Amino acid sequence: MDFAFLYDTLLTLLPGVPLTLKLAFSAVALGAVLALGLAMMRLSGLRALDWPARVYVFLFRSTPLLVQIFLIYYGLGQFREVRTSWLWPFLREPYWCAVLALTLNTAAYASEIFRGGLLAVPHGQVEAARAAGMSRGLLFRRIVLPVAIRQALPAYGSELILMIKATALASIITLMEVTGLAAKLIAETYRAIEVFIVAGSIYLVLNFVVTRLVLAAERRLTPHLRPAPVAILNDGGAA
Amino acid sequence: MTIAVALTGFVFGSLIGTLGAWAKIGGGALARGVADAYTTVLRGIPDLLVIYLFYFGSSAVLTPIGRFFGAEGFVSLPGFLAGALAIGVVSGAYFTEVFRGAYNTVSRGELEAATATGMTRLLRFRRIVVPLTLRFALPGLGNVWQQVLKESALISVTGLVEILRQSQIAAGSTRQPFTFFMAAAVLYLVISTASGWSLSRAEAHFTRGLRRA
């Protein structure tokens, strides 16, 4: 194997990592806010709020992300109203289109994850908080949200990994992130296998770090599920 | 074309998944290691990269072989085959996990009963393991199918004329990108809704013998 070429490839592809991360993080952060709103709409019990959220989730989950990206990047420019509006400087940029498409897409998936998490909050805990006289806002902030986040975290972790993988699609609308640079390099050198190995390893490392972070967060949020340290076990044995 | 490439990929994937699940459940340390590495790697890298690998990489492998047999110039896989293979290899990783999980829910008692009635391993596999595993795997298989369907849109980068590529061509020549990409989105919506509906019908059919909790 040609290690000099692998090393050169690595040096060519690494500058794409910041863009990949930037796309993934902005989409995940914005998407989480939108997803929380959607999940609340679904759980509001009001038809007028429930149905739009349902339709949104259905539409975005059953069409390919690439189609959504094309609709936003190429499609919106078809309308004169869009081209003359104040949004055009953003919608003309492939970067903002990619962020928008990824955000809208992840919001649909994440809202279902959040909804599951919110539904999994035990009734008893909500009732206990109400009995203790908490206001609705305090109840949500102190009881519902922390428990829901804890329940939703494992599923949300895999959504994060899916998002990092999804940023690869931004390369199709000319953004030069890791996959974009890899495709360019393949076209220049015709050495697809070596480039694939390097680009694949970069994504594996990124996803490995994300999985570790999610695991660490999960561990932090579920202290009650950890095995007790031996010292406490011995002390508590009498109690 | 979308359905053809997705179905071919789905079948490839289920074959790979069967092998992978078999390696993870019953294989030796080596087979299990290979299967573990395969599922970890394929679920951690973007599908688009795998498609590039198969589309561009296949020519790197096939051209020397073609030369050997006297072919001139460049030999490569056609877009359809490369795409279907790529989808198969990616979805195979998900299939592996679905099959493994489903196999683990088959109760030991049923397997022991089959052995006790004197079934050979092959007969037991065909009559007991496969039907039960498929029954439990059905919801997971539905997820994989929906994913494969949406992945097939990525094959348009190889130039294969499926739904998305066709709408790109139409959008380019009519200068009405929104109309045509919207039409593509609606087509995907129809296919996935229809297949989702038939999958839930199938699930109701195959689990009719199960008691509901």
Side-chain angles (χ1 to χ4, degrees), chain A residues 58-67 70-71 74-79 109 161-162 164-166 168-172 178-179 182-183 186-187 190-193 195-197 199-201 203-204 207, chain B residues 40-50 52-53 56-61 74 90 94 146-147 149-151 153-154 156-157 164 168 175-182 184-186 188-189 192-193:
Chain A
F58 171 68
L59 291 182
F60 276 87
R61 288 205 312 177
S62 34
T63 51
L65 175 60
L66 192 56
V67 172
F70 280 178
L71 258 180
Y74 296 113
L76 288 181
Q78 182 182 332
F79 303 107
Y109 286 92
I161 290 179
L162 284 178
I164 291 197
K165 287 165 59 178
L169 298 192
S171 67
I172 296 182
V178 177
T179 303
I186 290 176
Y190 283 106
R191 298 173 74 166
I193 295 169
V195 176
F196 170 80
I197 291 173
S201 324
Y203 280 103
L204 277 182
N207 285 330
Chain B
T40 316
V41 169
L42 265 297
R43 291 194 300 173
I45 56 178
D47 315 332
L48 191 58
L49 265 181
V50 183
Y52 283 146
L53 173 76
F56 297 111
S58 61
S59 56
V61 175
F74 226 56
V90 173
Y94 293 94
Q146 302 278 12
Q147 213 178 337
L149 179 65
K150 287 183 273 172
E151 241 169 55
L154 302 185
S156 61
V157 297
L164 186 58
Q168 264 177 306
R175 298 181 170 253
Q176 289 184 322
F178 191 85
T179 319
F180 281 99
F181 289 133
M182 199 45 123
V186 170
Y188 281 109
L189 212 66
S192 75
T193 313

Side-chain angles (χ1 to χ4, degrees), chain B residues 95-178:
Chain B
F95 269 115
T96 302
E97 297 301 323
V98 169
F99 284 150
R100 192 172 62 93
Y103 179 80
N104 284 339
T105 46
V106 175
S107 69
R108 298 299 118 204
E110 286 183 89
L111 296 182
E112 278 165 20
T115 319
T117 52
M119 287 193 183
T120 61
R121 280 178 65 98
L122 198 69
L123 192 66
R124 191 183 71 167
F125 181 75
R126 189 161 58 83
R127 286 244 186 102
I128 311 294
V129 177
V130 171
L132 283 176
T133 309
L134 280 184
R135 172 193 284 175
F136 292 121
L138 211 51
L141 291 184
N143 283 341
V144 177
W145 164 251
Q146 302 278 12
Q147 213 178 337
V148 162
L149 179 65
K150 287 183 273 172
E151 241 169 55
S152 74
L154 302 185
I155 309 294
S156 61
V157 297
T158 66
L160 182 74
V161 185
E162 35 72 80
I163 293 179
L164 186 58
R165 181 83 194 122
Q166 188 68 268
S167 48
Q168 264 177 306
I169 297 170
S173 53
T174 59
R175 298 181 170 253
Q176 289 184 322
F178 191 85

